[in-house]
Amino acid sequence: MRLITSLLLSGAVALVMPAGAIAQSQTNADAAQGTAQEDEPALLVADRIFITPERNLVAEGNVEAFQGDIKVTATRITYDRETGNLSLEGPVRIDQGGATTMLADSAELDDGIMNGLLIGARMVFDQQVQIASVQAARAGGRYTQFSKVSATSCHVCANGKPPLWQIRARKVTHDQLERQLYFEGAQFRILDFPVFYFPYLRLPDPTLDRATGFLVPSIRTTSQLGTGVQVPYFFKLGDHRDLTLTPYISGKTRTLGYRYRQAFKRGRIELNGAFTRDDLQENEDRGYLFANGFFNLNNDFRLLFDLKTTSDNAYLADYGLPDFDRLRSEIALERIKRDTAFRTSFIHYKSLRDSENEEVIPSRIFDLYFQKRYFPSSIGGEVRLGFVAHNHTRTSDQDIVGRDVARATFDADWMRSWIFASGLRADARFGTSVDIFDIRDDSQYPDRVTRAAPRAALTLRYPMTRREKSGATQVLEPIAQIGWTNVTDQDVPNDESTFQEFDQGNLLALSRFPAPDRREDGATAVFGVNWARYGANGWRALATVGQVFRSTADPNFNLTSGLQGTASDVLLAGQLQTANGWSLAGRGLLNGDFSFAKAEVRAGWNKPIVGINGSYVWQEPDPAENVDDEISEIRMDGRYLVDQNWLTQAYARYDLSESEPIRYGLGVTYQNECVKVNMTVSRRFTSSSSIEPSTEFGFTVALTGYSVEGGGQQYKRRCS
């Protein structure tokens, strides 16, 4: 029988209790809130407990001692009642708070397990970084001082073979409260070869998630900027905010990057940017700023912002940042509830395209959207009332090219559905819209236009299901719709609906233009079918076929929209997902010549050790969409886990119509229990008057954590 002894370390006589009484003893200890940990009683659990003639208490066999959040295990513990000291014979293990572990061959501790000396000591942090020393001294339970130290997160072999990296130091002090490590006379060694020397070095305890200090440096080489080094430094400014500064120095650039983050009780903000002086644009200040965040306000309102700006068109491409061709900044206020939707926003566009004159594109936009839902019991169904306000302006005030437009739209809809005994479903919809336009700086259009657009539609669906013997389920749903819209005036400019897409989402819409400045007019008929198959083993297949017929052709649709003429192109769309990781999705518009005006295919195969994804896009020339040549482009990316240490990644983007590459990239990552090395190379082939083709090389080395036992076993090396 294992015995439990409660030592009242203030000097009371030891009490021996049978196993099972620990629960009550521990409960009493937990109830004594406000008592310092060193004043709490320590508990001894062992296979054998006895008292020597010298009145010393001895515990032998699987000995465990507890006090507060400290747990000590040893082969033998001797308690001297007169001195209050504990003598521990190893192997000794001290766990504190579940984050740090002390290992030793033997130890001499006081009665509070807070002070003492450990021989042959090792400390392990969060089962990762370990510190080995000749001896360690504990003081007050907060400080532990190590002598003649080796610190590493690599696997240490008993044959004496040096780890991949280690820090040798004359002395190391660990502050348990601040979770900091202080090194004196430290050498950073690679395979036991000294590389750096630090008279004094402070590092955060690996259990500390956020601590001021250097982050992983990287080496970046580009054909335009040469070879440079990026060394991030992280500043912890408190529990809820931080700042990261990243100097980037090469022979052709001096850049200081920054990132500031702050969390509030009801929101957060993040700022990313850089300030640059380089040889690409001499004597010019360059840089960028991206800022985003949100705040939850009273009454369920939410404020969001996403701001982007840059000094010039080429900066983002030159420095390997997200390659936008337009920068979109927005500040929005919204509230979304079950029966009410409200959103208003200010949007600003900054073009980075050399071919665009920013003065004649709508760069300042205001939007307001409000919709309310009602469910009247007298007529049934659902009523939706909405109001939309929109305004976009250009910086130019020239006639026609500097046109500014403001629009207000009032909208009302009534919708109701019926399901008959045969399974047929009927959806009815009646509504109207009133649009008011205010047009400025364009003599081709009147200054004020007011129009109405009443509409109605009836949609019939007949879903049918079939259960297969294999357990799979098939669903077949034919669809037919008759619609009507009467637009009283179309004499307004088309600024918002210049690009149109015909897909599953707007197959049954009464207007397939993306904005209300253009509306479909006249009678329409839609025929289509949805099919789905859900396999019992995880397979899933979906398909949609549809076509739109109208009484009169609408000349406002673009060539490649698939909606020109009295009969649209046939919409073909489908998805396939298999149980073994394959996925396929495609959409295309098949015209009367049995050719595609526009098509897109995406495919992927993803498994734990391998993954490949690709897409293909095709579009015929369309001057209305600024596409003078056909688009035929393929894009692929993949990864392959060679083994537990090596990972390879690659991506490619190729223009098939021009028979030339757009971008290539390759990455190789090596990771073991204590180091992660990442190497990348990429080539961008596109060019413009401000952007040149460039090649970029990247190299980073990170010292990672090592799990002595448990979670990191996948990277554990063997000693040979």
Side-chain angles (χ1 to χ4, degrees):
M1 175 183 295
R2 299 198 70 192
L3 298 179
I4 301 173
T5 299
S6 176
L7 299 177
L8 302 180
L9 297 178
S10 58
V13 178
L15 175 63
V16 180
M17 302 177 293
I22 185 173
Q24 181 63 39
S25 176
Q26 188 63 42
T27 301
N28 294 337
D30 293 340
Q33 298 180 0
T35 304
Q37 179 172 292
E38 57 269 21
D39 293 333
E40 296 179 5
L43 301 180
L44 276 179
V45 183
D47 294 335
R48 180 168 175 258
I49 297 177
F50 60 92
I51 298 177
T52 66
E54 293 81 14
R55 303 293 294 170
N56 292 334
L57 180 66
V58 179
E60 294 180 339
N62 300 314
V63 183
E64 295 179 348
F66 302 88
Q67 191 194 24
D69 64 347
I70 301 177
K71 174 185 176 182
V72 179
T73 59
T75 304
R76 176 187 173 100
I77 294 181
T78 301
Y79 172 63
D80 190 329
R81 180 167 172 262
E82 292 185 3
T83 62
N85 291 334
L86 295 173
S87 298
L88 295 83
E89 298 180 13
V92 178
R93 176 176 178 137
I94 304 175
D95 293 290
Q96 184 164 0
T100 60
T101 300
M102 287 283 296
L103 306 174
D105 297 330
S106 61
E108 295 286 337
L109 300 175
D110 66 356
D111 52 12
I113 321 180
M114 308 294 286
N115 305 281
L117 185 67
L118 296 93
I119 306 301
R122 283 195 303 155
M123 177 175 279
V124 182
F125 298 94
D126 202 22
Q127 299 188 10
Q128 291 184 354
V129 176
Q130 57 177 308
I131 295 178
S133 68
V134 175
Q135 68 178 28
R138 287 173 59 87
R142 172 177 175 177
Y143 299 101
T144 304
Q145 190 175 91
F146 301 88
S147 301
K148 298 181 180 180
V149 178
S150 172
T152 185
S153 62
C154 298
H155 185 61
V156 180
C157 298
N159 57 11
K161 184 178 180 180
L164 182 62
W165 69 265
Q166 61 178 314
I167 299 177
R168 289 284 185 90
R170 182 175 64 257
K171 183 170 66 174
V172 174
T173 302
H174 175 240
D175 188 334
Q176 178 80 22
L177 181 62
E178 298 293 335
R179 290 192 286 182
Q180 297 288 327
L181 292 167
Y182 300 90
F183 292 78
E184 297 182 20
Q187 290 182 351
F188 180 78
R189 297 189 174 196
I190 297 178
L191 294 176
D192 211 26
F193 181 80
V195 177
F196 298 107
Y197 175 77
F198 305 94
Y200 297 96
L201 177 65
R202 179 180 61 86
L203 294 177
D205 181 325
T207 64
L208 192 60
D209 294 330
R210 300 169 63 249
T212 298
F214 287 101
L215 302 180
V216 178
S218 62
I219 298 175
R220 182 174 183 260
T221 300
T222 72
S223 56
Q224 292 180 295
L225 299 173
T227 301
V229 178
Q230 294 175 312
V231 184
Y233 193 87
F234 179 84
F235 295 90
K236 180 184 176 182
L237 304 179
D239 293 337
H240 309 292
R241 56 179 178 164
D242 55 57
L243 173 67
T244 303
L245 297 179
T246 307
Y248 174 28
I249 305 297
S250 77
K252 297 183 178 181
T253 183
R254 283 75 60 198
T255 296
L256 179 63
Y258 56 87
R259 184 192 68 182
Y260 177 80
R261 300 184 301 178
Q262 184 167 356
F264 301 89
K265 183 177 181 181
R266 305 176 71 175
R268 65 160 182 82
I269 61 173
E270 180 174 336
L271 283 71
N272 292 273
F275 176 78
T276 295
R277 296 297 294 265
D278 58 27
D279 295 346
L280 302 182
Q281 297 186 20
E282 294 185 1
N283 301 320
E284 295 287 338
D285 293 333
R286 307 183 70 194
Y288 81 102
L289 173 63
F290 292 171
N292 66 82
F294 70 89
F295 292 94
N296 296 318
L297 308 179
N298 295 332
N299 299 321
D300 298 324
F301 282 96
R302 184 180 175 93
L303 177 68
L304 308 96
F305 65 91
D306 186 5
L307 310 177
K308 295 182 176 68
T309 187
T310 185
S311 59
D312 54 82
N313 294 356
Y315 185 85
L316 298 180
D318 289 343
Y319 285 84
L321 297 166
D323 195 5
F324 298 111
D325 57 358
R326 289 193 183 108
L327 298 182
R328 182 180 186 273
S329 299
E330 179 181 18
I331 299 176
L333 178 67
E334 66 180 20
R335 184 176 73 165
I336 309 298
K337 305 189 75 173
R338 180 180 181 272
D339 299 329
T340 306
F342 168 83
R343 194 176 199 274
T344 184
S345 63
F346 295 91
I347 302 172
H348 180 268
Y349 282 96
K350 175 181 173 63
S351 176
L352 303 182
R353 300 178 179 179
D354 294 333
S355 59
E356 285 186 341
N357 182 358
E358 193 167 355
E359 292 186 351
V360 298
I361 64 172
S363 58
R364 294 169 294 189
I365 300 170
F366 166 78
D367 279 314
L368 186 147
Y369 173 84
F370 175 79
Q371 187 178 83
K372 181 71 175 178
R373 302 168 64 202
Y374 299 93
F375 302 92
S377 58
S378 57
I379 59 174
E382 177 183 344
V383 174
R384 294 185 182 180
L385 300 179
F387 173 74
V388 177
H390 171 86
N391 179 71
H392 62 261
T393 60
R394 296 168 168 87
T395 56
S396 173
D397 57 2
Q398 298 182 30
D399 187 33
I400 301 177
V401 296
R403 178 179 58 240
D404 301 329
V405 178
R407 169 178 52 83
T409 298
F410 301 88
D411 194 90
D413 263 317
W414 175 74
M415 297 170 289
R416 187 170 179 179
S417 300
W418 296 269
I419 299 178
F420 300 96
S422 61
L424 178 68
R425 171 174 171 169
D427 300 313
R429 177 180 180 181
F430 298 91
T432 187
S433 296
V434 177
D435 302 312
I436 302 173
F437 292 86
D438 182 62
I439 306 168
R440 303 177 299 277
D441 296 329
D442 194 334
S443 58
Q444 295 180 334
Y445 296 95
D447 294 340
R448 180 67 59 86
V449 176
T450 301
R451 73 181 183 190
R455 58 186 178 268
L458 176 65
T459 306
L460 301 177
R461 305 169 183 263
Y462 193 72
M464 297 172 285
T465 62
R466 187 181 74 172
R467 185 81 172 182
E468 300 178 3
K469 292 182 179 179
S470 63
T473 301
Q474 291 193 45
V475 180
L476 183 66
E477 183 185 48
I479 300 174
Q481 182 194 74
I482 297 176
W484 169 84
T485 304
N486 181 29
V487 183
T488 59
D489 194 343
Q490 293 275 31
D491 191 21
V492 293
N494 181 11
D495 275 349
E496 303 174 69
S497 299
T498 54
F499 297 85
Q500 304 105 32
E501 289 288 338
F502 181 31
D503 55 25
Q504 308 96 302
N506 59 20
L507 176 63
L508 299 176
L510 290 178
S511 180
R512 294 164 188 85
F513 290 102
D517 61 342
R518 280 290 181 271
R519 294 184 184 273
E520 292 189 49
D521 191 18
T524 60
V526 180
F527 298 97
V529 61
N530 291 324
W531 173 83
R533 184 180 185 275
Y534 302 94
N537 57 355
W539 280 62
R540 184 180 69 175
L542 308 171
T544 298
V545 179
Q547 191 171 16
V548 179
F549 300 88
R550 54 176 50 87
S551 57
T552 57
D554 194 329
N556 294 304
F557 285 114
N558 298 341
L559 286 173
T560 57
S561 66
L563 294 167
Q564 286 196 329
T566 56
S568 74
D569 294 349
V570 178
L571 170 66
L572 302 175
Q575 298 180 26
L576 176 65
Q577 184 174 339
T578 68
N580 59 356
W582 283 99
S583 62
L584 177 67
R587 175 173 63 92
L589 302 176
L590 186 67
N591 57 32
D593 298 331
F594 293 98
S595 61
F596 287 95
K598 186 181 293 185
E600 180 181 10
V601 178
R602 297 176 181 271
W605 181 48
N606 289 281
K607 302 288 284 184
I609 64 171
V610 65
I612 183 170
N613 296 278
S615 64
Y616 173 74
V617 177
W618 157 263
Q619 180 177 330
E620 292 182 341
D622 191 344
E625 295 188 3
N626 297 322
V627 179
D628 298 325
D629 301 313
E630 69 179 31
I631 296 176
S632 180
E633 184 178 306
I634 188 171
R635 183 172 184 172
M636 299 188 67
D637 63 82
R639 58 175 175 81
Y640 177 63
L641 186 64
V642 180
D643 55 29
Q644 66 176 2
N645 300 114
W646 289 95
L647 172 67
T648 60
Q649 296 175 297
Y651 68 89
R653 188 177 172 187
Y654 192 86
D655 189 341
L656 296 174
S657 61
E658 298 292 335
S659 298
E660 61 181 18
I662 300 175
R663 186 185 288 268
Y664 288 153
L666 176 66
V668 178
T669 301
Y670 173 80
Q671 181 172 355
N672 62 16
E673 78 281 3
C674 62
V675 68
K676 182 177 181 180
V677 181
N678 186 43
M679 296 163 285
T680 61
V681 58
S682 64
R683 171 70 177 174
R684 176 172 48 80
F685 296 88
T686 56
S687 63
S688 65
S689 59
S690 60
I691 299 176
E692 295 292 333
S694 66
T695 302
E696 178 178 335
F697 297 89
F699 180 77
T700 61
V701 178
L703 305 181
T704 60
Y706 165 64
S707 178
V708 176
E709 51 185 71
Q713 292 298 327
Q714 59 174 327
Y715 294 117
K716 187 171 182 178
R717 293 184 295 128
R718 296 180 179 178
C719 296
S720 59

